[in-house]
Amino acid sequence: MGHGELRGVVALDGPSGTGKSSAARRLAATLRARYLDTGAMYRAITLAVLRAGVEPTDTERVVEVARAAKLTQTSDPDASRTLLDGQDVGAEIRGPEVTLAVSPVSAVAEVRELLVEHQRAIIADALATAGGIVVEGRDIGTVVAPRAELKVYLTADAQARAQRRTKQDTASGRAATVDAVLADVQRRDAYDSSRRVSPLRPAEDAVELDTTPLDLPGVVAALLDLVEQRGLRVVAVGG
Ligand SMILES: Nc1ncnc2c1ncn2[C@@H]1O[C@H](COP(=O)(O)OP(=O)(O)O)[C@@H](O)[C@H]1O
Ligand SMILES: Nc1ccn([C@@H]2O[C@H](COP(=O)(O)OP(=O)(O)O)[C@@H](O)[C@H]2O)c(=O)n1
């Protein structure tokens, strides 16, 4: 497999609706690098919990389900797929049931240990085969890849984030009002930031980027600038 133009790990963290997934995917595609959506992995385990009829707050049983689940997360930016027990669950994990239950499931230490180990293996494989990977989530710069070559913490006004999410939900056929989405975004912000294990927060050496006034191409351009400033973009030879 030919190497892309990114050398190393770019860690993108931040709250919901700041543009992590879209920006990370576009950045990775531009640099012919890999892309890892860690939120999709927490969502898939949450789906497994719901399917098993387990309460998201029943820690012991949540851990059992997480251990038994067969999760596959691919890292192709043009076709990022999430498989649970062999089935593509990409659409279902974005639904409201999973969104409502994902924060308590993600707060369980054993669930995080399992997934962090899995994520590190995917990152190691990407570095060996493609040379670079853009990883997005809540704890990438702080826990999953603390030695990432570039860490960016995306922010945006809650109102702007809720508007983006509402538009996205409506476009994918899910009824949503800005008020309801704003309430969900604020609930998850509070839960994810205050949990004991790996709370959402910027790494000390992260660059903060406020995306409120930017459109998506603007965010990607700012990220590309940072990648180039750090000397992480290399010209592919014979790739
Ligand atoms: N800078 C931006 N301006 C406007 N819309 C954006 C911007 N960044 C992302 N979006 C849109 O907002 C929605 C949420 O973005 P997403 O990348 O899923 O955020 P996150 O992964 O941080 O939750 C998507 O529909 C995306 O296209
Ligand atoms: N690295 C990560 C990624 C997601 N998560 C959890 O998973 C949830 C869903 O993440 P996501 O990135 O898919 O959610 P959105 O921001 O796209 O709505 C978050 O609210 C966190 O509770 C986490 O704890 N750690």
Side-chain angles (χ1 to χ4, degrees), residues 104-144:
V105 170
S106 309
V108 177
E110 291 90 339
V111 170
R112 303 201 71 84
E113 273 165 35
L114 276 173
L115 289 187
V116 168
E117 192 184 334
H118 192 160
Q119 288 154 11
R120 287 182 179 150
I122 295 171
I123 293 168
D125 175 70
L127 292 177
T129 57
I133 182 166
V134 183
V135 188
E136 53 108 349
R138 300 289 190 288
D139 62 339
I140 311 308
T142 52
V143 176
V144 176

Side-chain angles (χ1 to χ4, degrees), residues 16 38 42-43 103 106 112 138-139 165 188 192 195:
S16 181
T38 62
Y42 286 96
R43 286 175 176 274
S103 282
S106 309
R112 303 201 71 84
R138 300 289 190 288
D139 62 339
R165 259 283 122 75
R188 276 198 295 141
D192 294 344
R195 70 184 173 212

